[in-house]
Amino acid sequence: MKRTLFVISFAAVLSACGDKPQELQTNKHDAPAYAGTGKAFVNSDWKQGDKASWESHQKARSQYGQNDYTRMN
Amino acid sequence: MARMKFVCDAERCIECNGCVTACKNEHEVPWGVNRRRVVTLNDGVPGEKSISVACMHCSDAPCMAVCPVNCFYRTDEGVVLHDKDVCIGCGYCSYACPFGAPQFPSQGTFGVRGKMDKCTFCAGGPEENGSQAEFEKYGRNRLAEGKLPACAEMCSTKALLAGDGDVVADIFRTRVMTRQKKGAEAWGWGTAYGNKEPGSHGQGAQDGQGNQYGKQVQQGGQQ
């Protein structure tokens, strides 16, 4: 009995020493870009949530939007 | 996919500041903060060079290394972003960055330094993609909309390239190979934008006395 009371009181006393974790928490779990936004502004040439589709679309867009040597000279 | 990267072609940049304007408009960047700016060397001298500079999303970013509260993170695409809820506005990143990318808006009566703001490669921040909270803190998330950064897409001369590193490098390599010139030789409209005659500066620009800038530069280089 005494032992039980001692354990309970010991636990109660020690619980006061508890503290909330204070690690700096950075939200490094940002949603990936290929997840899309679900909004109307999203380009419709790729499927939202499909990584491969997003990557190929981005590569194509970089090429036809920026490589003018495929269009002139 | 490789890492997302910016490249600015100094031979093409005409210092129009279209990229700066596009960025400010797209993200509604506050007064006094410039996520992107155009830097010109030898301003006013024939042969001057300009490049558009913003956060270069370094692979080994010094801002990340010095941040005392670890507010930076890197996305799978290699874009360096930060969490404004964690940032304390200390300015260490500003001292560490070789490009002067981190910006600090003045807030309050005494111009207290606010939270850091910088180019996000139009990839928003840790808030939900496309949300109002994300837009207000970091601007529009164009990558999640399947678009490229507004500055590069708006660039009229395509001097500023953005996107997958491999693709951007390929485009730039093609240009350099086509120009077949380097340094002071690679000056002039024809060189930058294509000319039927390799080695020619095209019509070139002329001053009021009929002197051609291209010739002046070439002669200067031979002396």
Side-chain angles (χ1 to χ4, degrees):
Chain A
M1 182 66 185
K2 261 188 176 179
R3 191 171 181 175
T4 311
L5 277 173
F6 178 75
V7 169
I8 291 170
S9 59
F10 194 68
V13 169
L14 278 183
S15 67
C17 302
D19 199 2
K20 290 180 181 175
Q22 295 187 7
E23 291 108 26
L24 292 162
Q25 293 183 348
T26 305
N27 191 352
K28 291 177 180 172
H29 302 290
D30 189 8
Y34 65 81
T37 63
K39 301 277 169 62
F41 296 113
V42 175
N43 187 295
S44 57
D45 294 344
W46 61 288
K47 188 183 170 190
Q48 293 191 49
D50 184 351
K51 189 177 182 182
S53 163
W54 181 83
E55 285 184 358
S56 62
H57 168 69
Q58 286 290 84
K59 283 184 180 175
R61 189 168 172 123
S62 313
Q63 275 292 346
Y64 66 66
Q66 301 184 124
N67 191 3
D68 45 18
Y69 279 99
T70 57
R71 290 184 277 121
M72 58 180 240
N73 298 325
Chain B
M1 192 170 191
R3 290 168 180 274
M4 291 290 190
K5 288 292 175 195
F6 282 123
V7 167
C8 187
D9 187 346
E11 308 300 340
R12 284 192 173 211
C13 181
I14 55 173
E15 200 192 352
C16 70
N17 278 280
C19 48
V20 178
T21 312
C23 176
K24 292 209 76 148
N25 181 60
E26 185 75 358
H27 305 299
E28 297 184 9
V29 179
W31 179 258
V33 174
N34 282 306
R35 291 183 177 181
R36 177 169 287 286
R37 66 206 178 285
V38 178
V39 177
T40 303
L41 298 176
N42 298 325
D43 200 358
V45 179
E48 66 178 25
K49 299 275 190 251
S50 299
I51 55 165
S52 177
V53 185
C55 173
M56 298 301 282
H57 302 277
C58 308
S59 301
D60 185 9
C63 55
M64 290 181 87
V66 300
C67 181
V69 294
N70 196 24
C71 78
F72 291 93
Y73 64 99
R74 187 180 283 108
T75 68
D76 292 343
E77 296 85 36
V79 180
V80 176
L81 298 175
H82 71 298
D83 188 342
K84 283 192 179 180
D85 292 339
V86 177
C87 175
I88 56 173
C90 68
Y92 274 25
C93 51
S94 177
Y95 295 117
C97 177
F99 302 103
Q103 303 278 299
F104 293 90
S106 293
Q107 289 178 344
T109 314
F110 301 103
V112 176
R113 191 160 52 192
K115 308 250 181 187
M116 191 272 277
D117 189 273
K118 74 170 191 71
C119 161
T120 63
F121 208 89
C122 288
E127 270 74 13
E128 185 190 348
N129 284 355
S131 64
Q132 186 63 23
E134 183 185 55
F135 179 73
E136 286 174 2
K137 284 184 191 169
Y138 308 98
R140 192 172 299 284
N141 191 339
R142 288 173 59 90
L143 284 194
E145 292 175 354
K147 299 168 187 169
L148 290 168
C151 51
E153 296 213 303
M154 191 67 75
C155 182
S156 54
T157 61
K158 295 299 163 208
L160 184 61
L161 304 172
D164 180 63
D166 291 340
V167 176
V168 165
D170 267 349
I171 295 170
F172 194 70
R173 189 180 303 114
T174 307
R175 281 186 192 174
V176 173
M177 296 297 283
T178 309
R179 283 181 196 146
Q180 296 181 334
K181 290 183 225 170
K182 63 189 185 309
E185 301 162 22
W187 183 75
W189 185 273
T191 305
Y193 301 105
N195 196 314
K196 300 291 180 194
E197 288 180 55
S200 160
H201 288 291
Q203 295 297 319
Q206 291 190 346
D207 62 15
Q209 296 162 344
N211 295 319
Q212 198 170 22
Y213 289 152
K215 282 184 179 174
Q216 287 175 340
V217 170
Q218 278 189 323
Q219 286 165 356
Q222 288 164 355
Q223 287 169 354

